[in-house]
Amino acid sequence: MQGSIAIDQSPSVQYLLRVGDTCLILGQRIAEWCGHAPILEEDIAMSNMALDLIGQARAVLTHAGQLEGRGHDEDQLAYLRDEKDYRNLTLVELPRGDFAFTVLRNAMVATLMKLLWERLRDSSDAELAGIAGKAIKEARYHQQHAADWVVRLGDGTDESRQRIEKALRELWLYVPELFESDAVDEAAQAQGLGPRWADLRAPWLEEMDTILDEATLSRPDEAAFRSTGKRGVHSEHMGFILAEMQHLQRAFPGGVW
Amino acid sequence: MSNLDTSTAAEWPLWEVFVRSKSGLDHKHCGSLHAADPKMAIQMARDVYTRRQEGTSVWVVRSDQIVASDPADKDMYFDPMEDKVYRHPTFYRLPGSVDHM
């Protein structure tokens, strides 16, 4: 059994892990739809999106490993950390729910990532800027695809509306975490590595409002609850998804295809 | 289409998908899919038929908008051409500068 690795706590590595882990965990969640989506075409669309996200995670984690300078590669970072060393948003680790929950979460995360990648194209870190230039195209499509479904479900049948409204109530609890600022964000901003995520709040709300308006849904009030995945304190769901993801690398260290 | 039973009537309509592999080439028929409307059909065509870099452009057409020849007319329509080799311009010599004819 392979033991866990310890990771560097410097702000720039933490900042990259927030980006990479958010992609990694959402990619894993979306991949759970493979073979289960309501129609064949969506099954393939979900798998495509999962693979885009895992591709982005690979690039960012590889780079985080180089920056860290401890010889960790993408697989070690993806599969050999303890739960507290993952820096993804809590939002993305929540179980996949029904299709309404999935497409609304995808719309929320894709909108965030699109805004983030747009700004990371100007990062002082050339490698990160390069990754962003490629990822932005994928994020734009993810947003369009998910937003279309949110509109269809919001403006659809009684059942679809009731499901998307329920998803909206549940998911909106996790929004404040997206835009909370801390020392990691401030350091990234100061170094020119990337924006404070707090600065993405206004454009994010604007784009989400457009989607929700078209779906004839009303945006819930901001919750008092604060999730803390970005700081490594996760929901009860995180351990289960990590167990599934990590099993192979832990049982067969260094295993490759 | 009055002979549709209710189960198929409730399904999303069928669309034919055409993909252009690169600029300058024709869009080629590559399959079909079910979708609720044109926008969804285009997105699904992108996801289903271009995920391995097959295309640079996609067309979708409602399958029920295609007018097809009747299979019963096959003999009448196509067999008479079988013995008319003179319709193939194979007896001309092409200039060397004309490729791929």
Side-chain angles (χ1 to χ4, degrees), chain B residues 21-81:
Chain B
S21 55
K22 56 182 179 193
S23 305
L25 295 184
D26 294 336
H27 286 74
K28 283 221 165 60
H29 183 244
C30 60
S32 58
L33 49 78
H34 289 276
D37 59 30
K39 193 175 181 190
M40 188 193 280
I42 283 281
Q43 283 192 3
M44 285 175 166
R46 178 263 187 197
D47 276 317
V48 176
Y49 291 108
T50 68
R51 59 199 297 267
R52 298 186 183 92
Q53 272 198 315
E54 291 92 336
T56 60
S57 166
V58 180
W59 287 351
V60 293
V61 179
R62 278 277 296 255
S63 306
D64 58 14
Q65 296 294 311
I66 289 178
V67 183
S69 60
D70 186 339
D73 290 340
K74 186 167 159 284
D75 292 347
M76 173 177 80
Y77 270 35
F78 306 114
D79 281 1
M81 268 66 96

Side-chain angles (χ1 to χ4, degrees), chain A residues 39-42 44-45 47-49 51-52 141 144-145 148-149 152, chain B residues 12 32-37 39-44 46-48 51:
Chain A
I39 51 170
L40 175 97
E41 290 83 354
E42 279 306 312
I44 298 172
S47 303
N48 287 349
M49 242 174 279
L51 290 173
D52 287 347
Y141 182 75
Q144 189 195 84
H145 176 271
D148 272 6
W149 272 110
R152 284 176 198 286
Chain B
W12 289 341
S32 58
L33 49 78
H34 289 276
D37 59 30
K39 193 175 181 190
M40 188 193 280
I42 283 281
Q43 283 192 3
M44 285 175 166
R46 178 263 187 197
D47 276 317
V48 176
R51 59 199 297 267

Side-chain angles (χ1 to χ4, degrees), chain A residues 203-249:
Chain A
W204 186 86
L205 281 175
E206 195 181 316
E207 294 197 22
M208 285 308 298
D209 279 347
T210 306
I211 297 168
L212 295 177
D213 281 351
E214 202 185 335
T216 68
L217 298 166
S218 30
R219 189 216 302 174
D221 294 332
E222 183 167 303
F225 169 69
R226 291 289 183 274
S227 53
T228 50
K230 277 200 297 192
R231 286 190 271 131
V233 183
H234 293 280
S235 72
E236 68 271 30
H237 307 293
M238 188 66 178
F240 293 96
I241 191 171
L242 287 182
E244 193 171 307
M245 288 171 62
Q246 296 193 343
H247 167 73
L248 268 177
Q249 277 295 319

Side-chain angles (χ1 to χ4, degrees), chain A residues 40-84:
Chain A
L40 175 97
E41 290 83 354
E42 279 306 312
D43 205 284
I44 298 172
M46 288 291 156
S47 303
N48 287 349
M49 242 174 279
L51 290 173
D52 287 347
L53 287 164
I54 287 165
Q56 293 163 8
R58 291 184 60 185
V60 176
L61 292 181
T62 298
H63 186 50
Q66 288 159 352
L67 213 64
E68 195 193 15
R70 297 188 183 186
H72 295 144
D73 66 15
E74 51 179 307
D75 282 342
Q76 292 170 316
L77 282 172
Y79 299 122
L80 298 180
R81 276 177 286 161
D82 279 337
E83 179 181 322
K84 64 177 173 45

Side-chain angles (χ1 to χ4, degrees), chain B residues 14 18 20 50 58 78 86 93:
Chain B
L14 192 64
F18 299 81
R20 164 189 268 173
T50 68
V58 180
F78 306 114
Y86 49 85
R93 278 213 322 197

Side-chain angles (χ1 to χ4, degrees), chain A:
Chain A
M1 185 71 152
Q2 177 71 48
S4 298
I5 58 172
I7 53 162
D8 185 76
Q9 301 296 323
S10 74
S12 49
V13 171
Q14 298 294 309
Y15 189 87
L16 285 179
L17 290 179
R18 288 178 179 181
V19 179
D21 289 347
T22 293
C23 294
L24 177 72
I25 302 297
L26 185 61
Q28 179 78 14
R29 276 291 180 230
I30 298 178
E32 291 174 7
W33 282 103
C34 185
H36 299 276
I39 51 170
L40 175 97
E41 290 83 354
E42 279 306 312
D43 205 284
I44 298 172
M46 288 291 156
S47 303
N48 287 349
M49 242 174 279
L51 290 173
D52 287 347
L53 287 164
I54 287 165
Q56 293 163 8
R58 291 184 60 185
V60 176
L61 292 181
T62 298
H63 186 50
Q66 288 159 352
L67 213 64
E68 195 193 15
R70 297 188 183 186
H72 295 144
D73 66 15
E74 51 179 307
D75 282 342
Q76 292 170 316
L77 282 172
Y79 299 122
L80 298 180
R81 276 177 286 161
D82 279 337
E83 179 181 322
K84 64 177 173 45
D85 286 331
Y86 283 81
R87 293 290 184 264
N88 56 281
L89 297 166
T90 304
L91 180 68
V92 299
E93 74 205 36
L94 303 174
R96 73 173 194 261
D98 62 10
F99 195 68
F101 187 93
T102 279
V103 294
L104 180 59
R105 172 166 60 186
N106 285 356
M108 292 163 69
V109 178
T111 302
L112 175 75
M113 295 310 292
K114 191 193 79 172
L115 294 166
L116 182 61
W117 293 126
E118 271 171 13
R119 286 153 182 80
L120 289 177
R121 285 183 302 187
D122 301 323
S123 172
S124 58
D125 180 329
E127 172 80 17
L128 184 58
I131 295 168
K134 185 164 174 293
I136 180 77
K137 298 176 194 166
E138 295 169 341
R140 282 193 193 120
Y141 182 75
H142 298 176
Q143 185 196 31
Q144 189 195 84
H145 176 271
D148 272 6
W149 272 110
V150 171
V151 173
R152 284 176 198 286
L153 297 180
D155 192 16
T157 64
D158 286 346
E159 184 180 1
S160 74
R161 185 174 177 86
Q162 173 244 313
R163 284 178 184 246
I164 197 88
E165 279 179 337
K166 179 166 176 285
L168 185 59
R169 281 194 303 275
E170 290 170 7
L171 285 164
W172 216 258
L173 288 176
Y174 297 88
V175 169
E177 184 192 351
L178 275 55
F179 307 113
E180 273 200 277
S181 256
D182 60 8
V184 170
D185 267 356
E186 294 301 334
Q189 168 88 6
Q191 291 170 26
L193 179 64
R196 284 187 294 252
W197 289 24
D199 295 341
L200 307 177
R201 186 171 182 274
W204 186 86
L205 281 175
E206 195 181 316
E207 294 197 22
M208 285 308 298
D209 279 347
T210 306
I211 297 168
L212 295 177
D213 281 351
E214 202 185 335
T216 68
L217 298 166
S218 30
R219 189 216 302 174
D221 294 332
E222 183 167 303
F225 169 69
R226 291 289 183 274
S227 53
T228 50
K230 277 200 297 192
R231 286 190 271 131
V233 183
H234 293 280
S235 72
E236 68 271 30
H237 307 293
M238 188 66 178
F240 293 96
I241 191 171
L242 287 182
E244 193 171 307
M245 288 171 62
Q246 296 193 343
H247 167 73
L248 268 177
Q249 277 295 319
R250 299 277 188 177
F252 303 98
V256 290
W257 284 105

